[in-house]
């Protein structure tokens, strides 16, 4: 591939290769062709994601003993990645058995090696996810579960900016205003969410909390955008095979983290099963299921849709925290939730997508016309070359054998 063109190895004709804009519009084209069964499946995915995401902060909170973790958070993340790897292997075995005759086998060495080379970019989001999963535990030391869920919604704005930069996504003015409303709702809920008069590492707790919040928002946003780009750029690769690479990279990074902790704290900290309880076991299963669902969102749907789906889980987290952990539902939380839902309705409103869809339609027509123009030019060049070769040989064939 050179200058955005793909050259055929046989006829040397050139075609336009799909760019980031083509990848970013995969969700829009899929959405226009969705069937009733697919809508029902999407509804189940969103519902399942809301439950899993909503329960995660509560399970993390229940895993604490006297306000601290008796286990290593990195060990939980490592065991979670191992569970996801095993799930991907099991699903690949089922997929290979259901393959038709003549299809390229999923479990062959050549398929695995080629897919590994094509999906090496998945190592980037795997590293970001390893850091983010550790930050989830740290955030629980400064905020209650409902506030952690609300703070995570800040990722939507960062993700929108990254999608515009990395994948050339287009957002209308109404959608940007909806994202601004989302920030307002988060700010309303964040008021007076930190205990006063406490400190950590000699610094005010608010300073430490804001530093962790900045990293907590940026790192997973980068992971989500790069994950969507990596999955959709290799759309023909089986999703369970891609998940195997993604989770395999994640297990490697978390295992390196365990080794690093053992070097600094001693060999006793290498016990990855130390301090675990029933709550941590449920937490690992919850995180594994959440990661598996996320891969389907990123490949077949959209990162923004995934984050708004997680936003819906905020109200579930708040109610569950009030019932299970006796966390009070403040007026700020209720007002913040209301603004967040208004933002979500405005972002996905048909009026917010009219201008964007028209621009995408014009861009599609321009891309198709340019591709056809390149194909026509390539065909004309081939025909001209063939004609020149024929006309070059004709005088030699008509030359008289005897001198006149």
């Amino acid at each position: 591939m050179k200058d955005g063109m793909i050259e055929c190895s046989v006829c040397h004709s050139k075609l336009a290769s799909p760019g980031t804009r083509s990848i970013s519009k995969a969700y829009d084209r899929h959405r226009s062709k969705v069937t009733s069964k697919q809508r029902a499946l999407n509804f189940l995915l969103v519902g399942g994601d809301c439950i899993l995401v909503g329960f995660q902060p509560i399970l993390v909170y229940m895993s604490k003993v006297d306000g601290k973790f008796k286990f290593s958070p990195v060990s939980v993340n490592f065991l979670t990645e191992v569970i996801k790897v095993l799930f991907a292997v099991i699903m690949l075995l089922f997929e290979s058995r259901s393959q038709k005759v003549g299809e390229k086998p999923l479990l062959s060495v050549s398929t695995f090696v080629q897919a590994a080379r094509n999906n090496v970019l998945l190592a980037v989001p795997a590293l970001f996810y390893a850091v983010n999963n550790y930050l989830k535990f740290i955030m629980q030391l400064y905020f209650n579960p409902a506030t952690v869920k609300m703070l995570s919604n800040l990722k939507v704005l960062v993700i929108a900016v990254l999608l515009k930069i990395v994948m050339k996504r287009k957002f209308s003015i109404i959608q940007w205003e909806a994202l601004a409303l989302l920030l307002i709702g988060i700010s309303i809920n964040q008021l007076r969410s930190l205990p006063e008069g406490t400190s950590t590492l000699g610094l005010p707790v608010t300073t430490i909390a804001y530093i962790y919040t900045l990293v907590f928002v940026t790192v997973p946003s980068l992971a989500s955008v790069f994950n969507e780009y990596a999955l959709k750029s290799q759309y023909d690769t089986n999703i369970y095979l891609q998940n195997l690479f993604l989770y395999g990279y994640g297990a490697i990074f978390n295992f390196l983290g365990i080794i690093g902790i053992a070097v600094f704290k001693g060999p006793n900290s290498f016990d990855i099963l130390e301090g675990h309880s029933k709550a941590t076991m449920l937490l690992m299963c919850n995180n594994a299921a959440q990661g598996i669902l996320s891969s389907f969102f990123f490949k077949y749907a959209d990162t923004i849709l995934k984050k708004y789906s997680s936003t819906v889980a905020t109200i579930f987290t708040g109610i569950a925290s009030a019932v299970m952990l006796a966390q009070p539902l403040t007026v700020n939380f209720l007002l913040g939730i209301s603004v967040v839902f208004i933002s979500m309705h405005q972002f996905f409103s048909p009026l917010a997508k009219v201008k964007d869809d028209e621009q995408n339609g014009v861009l599609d027509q321009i891309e198709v016309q340019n591709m056809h123009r390149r194909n026509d030019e390539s065909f004309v060049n081939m025909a001209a070359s063939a004609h020149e070769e024929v006309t070059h040989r004709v005088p030699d064939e008509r030359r008289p054998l005897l001198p006149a």
Side-chain angles (χ1 to χ4, degrees):
M1 185 177 66
K2 185 178 180 181
D3 298 330
M5 302 291 292
I6 299 176
E7 183 176 356
C8 179
S9 59
V10 179
C11 63
H12 301 287
S13 60
K14 295 183 179 180
L15 297 176
S17 62
T20 55
R21 188 180 301 278
S22 300
I23 298 173
S24 66
K25 292 183 295 185
Y27 171 62
D28 295 328
R29 294 171 180 173
H30 167 75
R31 182 183 55 188
S32 62
K33 299 179 182 179
V34 68
T35 62
S36 59
K37 292 183 179 180
Q38 290 172 332
R39 287 172 181 165
L41 178 60
N42 292 340
F43 179 79
L44 293 176
L45 288 175
V46 172
D49 184 67
C50 291
I51 296 175
L52 294 173
V53 175
F55 264 120
Q56 184 188 34
I58 298 174
L59 292 174
V60 173
Y61 186 85
M62 293 173 62
S63 300
K64 293 189 294 185
V65 179
D66 298 330
K68 299 180 179 180
F69 298 115
K70 296 296 183 181
F71 57 90
S72 173
V74 181
S75 66
V76 172
N77 299 332
F78 171 72
L79 294 175
T80 300
E81 297 299 326
V82 171
I83 293 174
K84 292 191 287 187
V85 168
L86 293 176
F87 177 82
V89 172
I90 293 174
M91 294 306 300
L92 281 174
L93 292 175
F94 280 108
E95 289 278 332
S96 62
R97 291 183 178 180
S98 60
Q99 280 188 301
K100 299 179 181 179
V101 179
E103 292 183 349
K104 190 175 183 180
L106 288 173
L107 301 181
S108 65
V109 177
S110 60
T111 302
F112 184 85
V113 173
Q114 182 180 0
R117 292 176 179 175
N118 296 336
N119 292 273
V120 69
L121 185 60
L122 289 172
V124 177
L127 176 60
F128 287 140
Y129 281 134
V131 177
N132 175 63
N133 291 334
Y134 178 75
L135 290 175
K136 289 180 180 178
F137 292 93
I138 300 299
M139 292 292 291
Q140 292 290 339
L141 299 177
Y142 302 102
F143 302 97
N144 58 55
T147 305
V148 171
K149 196 82 238 58
M150 287 296 295
L151 287 175
S152 65
N153 294 331
L154 281 166
K155 303 171 190 176
V156 176
L157 179 61
V158 181
I159 286 173
V161 175
L162 291 175
L163 286 174
K164 185 176 180 61
I165 296 174
V166 177
M167 301 185 66
K168 311 302 180 183
R169 284 285 303 273
K170 295 288 186 179
F171 297 101
S172 65
I173 297 179
I174 297 178
Q175 289 176 323
W176 285 114
E177 292 175 350
L179 296 176
L181 279 179
L182 180 61
L183 289 180
I184 295 174
I186 295 171
S187 301
I188 293 174
N189 179 73
Q190 193 177 359
L191 294 176
R192 301 179 65 180
S193 62
L194 295 172
E196 299 179 358
T198 56
S199 61
T200 303
L201 301 177
L203 297 174
V205 68
T206 53
T207 304
I208 296 293
Y210 283 127
I211 293 175
Y212 278 127
T213 300
L214 179 62
V215 181
F216 178 70
V217 169
T218 305
V219 171
S221 301
L222 290 169
S224 298
V225 173
F226 277 103
N227 194 12
E228 179 181 352
Y229 180 81
L231 291 174
K232 287 182 177 178
S233 62
Q234 300 296 327
Y235 198 82
D236 294 334
T237 305
N238 185 278
I239 186 171
Y240 297 114
L241 194 57
Q242 289 179 310
N243 286 343
L244 179 62
F245 300 130
L246 177 64
Y247 306 148
Y249 288 132
I252 293 173
F253 291 135
N254 282 284
F255 186 73
L256 293 177
I258 294 175
I259 295 177
I261 293 175
V263 171
F264 285 100
K265 294 186 177 181
N268 294 331
S269 61
F270 192 76
D271 187 5
I272 61 177
L273 299 178
E274 181 182 0
H276 290 290
S277 61
K278 294 181 179 179
T280 58
M281 297 299 175
L282 292 175
L283 177 63
M284 288 186 291
C285 295
N286 180 281
N287 290 345
Q290 187 182 151
I292 294 169
L293 280 180
S294 297
S295 64
F296 284 89
F297 272 101
F298 292 139
K299 183 162 185 175
Y300 301 114
D302 184 78
T303 306
I304 296 292
L305 178 65
K306 171 65 176 68
K307 292 308 172 185
Y308 265 109
S309 173
S310 300
T311 305
V312 178
T314 304
I315 187 171
F316 180 82
T317 304
I319 296 175
S321 298
V323 175
M324 301 174 61
L325 306 177
Q327 295 277 356
L329 292 178
T330 63
V331 176
N332 292 340
F333 175 76
L334 296 177
L335 291 176
I337 283 294
S338 301
V339 177
V340 166
F341 273 94
I342 293 174
S343 166
M344 183 172 60
H345 178 268
Q346 180 176 343
F347 187 90
F348 291 103
S349 173
L351 296 177
K353 299 179 182 181
V354 170
K355 185 176 180 180
D356 190 46
D357 289 341
E358 290 177 354
Q359 291 176 351
N360 288 337
V362 173
L363 290 174
D364 285 338
Q365 293 178 0
I366 294 175
E367 289 181 0
V368 171
Q369 292 174 0
N370 291 335
M371 184 178 64
H372 288 167
R373 187 179 298 109
R374 294 190 187 100
N375 293 340
D376 293 340
E377 292 175 355
S378 176
F379 178 78
V380 170
N381 293 334
M382 292 172 59
S385 300
H387 177 71
E388 182 180 357
E389 183 179 358
V390 171
T391 55
H392 179 71
R393 290 197 305 260
V394 167
D396 295 335
E397 294 176 355
R398 296 183 178 181
R399 183 179 299 173
L401 298 177
L402 300 176

